[in-house]
């Protein structure tokens, strides 16, 4: 569903440009993902998104955890719980502020193919 502000164009049945429709769809999808997805999915999606820009590096360079928490709409405390769980199951290795992804396939699976744009 798309809601369009009433104007002469919309009253005449003219839709916004395809570019604007695409941008609105992406924004709505990202908002839905952020609002409805569990934090573990959002965190995995965040790491997969930055991984794709880093070229499959073994180590990823990320923002500080409180910045990541703010970006994906949660708290640092919640992220620490998820990272601890992933560390215990062997998906990541964490040393201070550095995170090494040991099992990208598992992180990709956690992300449910969601990516931030």
């Amino acid at each position: 569903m798309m809601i369009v502000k009433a104007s002469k164009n919309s009253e005449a049945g003219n839709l916004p440009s395809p570019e604007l429709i695409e941008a609105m769809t992406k924004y709505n999808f990202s908002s839905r993902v952020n609002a409805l997805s569990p934090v573990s999915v959002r965190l995995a999606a965040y790491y997969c998104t930055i991984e794709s820009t880093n070229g499959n590096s073994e180590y990823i360079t990320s923002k500080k955890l409180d910045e990541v928490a703010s970006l994906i709409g949660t708290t640092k405390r919640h992220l620490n719980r998820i990272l601890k769980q992933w560390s215990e199951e062997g998906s990541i290795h964490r040393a201070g502020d550095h995170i090494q992804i040991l099992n990208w396939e598992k992180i990709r699976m956690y992300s449910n193919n969601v990516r931030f744009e």
Side-chain angles (χ1 to χ4, degrees):
M1 176 175 77
M2 183 184 336
I3 299 173
V4 180
K5 181 179 176 183
S7 67
K8 289 180 183 179
N9 279 334
S10 67
E11 293 296 322
N14 299 327
L15 292 176
S17 69
E19 294 83 11
L20 181 58
I21 291 173
E22 181 180 355
M24 290 167 56
T25 303
K26 285 181 181 177
Y27 174 78
N28 286 335
F29 176 74
S30 293
S31 297
R32 242 186 356 256
V33 165
N34 210 21
L36 301 177
S37 296
V39 174
S40 58
V41 171
R42 290 180 280 174
L43 181 59
Y46 170 77
Y47 285 139
C48 289
T49 300
I50 63 171
E51 179 244 356
S52 65
T53 62
N54 288 342
N56 289 331
S57 175
E58 181 179 356
Y59 287 89
I60 56 174
T61 305
S62 180
K63 299 178 180 191
K64 292 185 177 190
L65 208 53
D66 52 347
E67 292 175 5
V68 174
S70 177
L71 179 71
I72 66 171
T74 191
T75 64
K76 182 178 176 181
R77 185 180 207 176
H78 197 148
L79 292 187
N80 276 318
R81 284 194 296 262
I82 293 167
L83 292 172
K84 181 180 179 192
Q85 176 188 349
W86 290 355
S87 180
E88 289 172 351
E89 68 186 28
S91 297
I92 67 167
H93 173 71
R94 189 170 177 198
D97 290 338
H98 299 336
I99 296 172
Q100 180 184 15
I101 306 293
L102 302 173
N103 188 340
W104 275 110
E105 287 305 311
K106 201 161 217 176
I107 300 300
R108 287 185 194 103
M109 182 191 71
Y110 291 151
S111 76
N112 291 336
N113 293 319
V114 172
R115 299 295 179 271
F116 293 95
E117 297 193 19

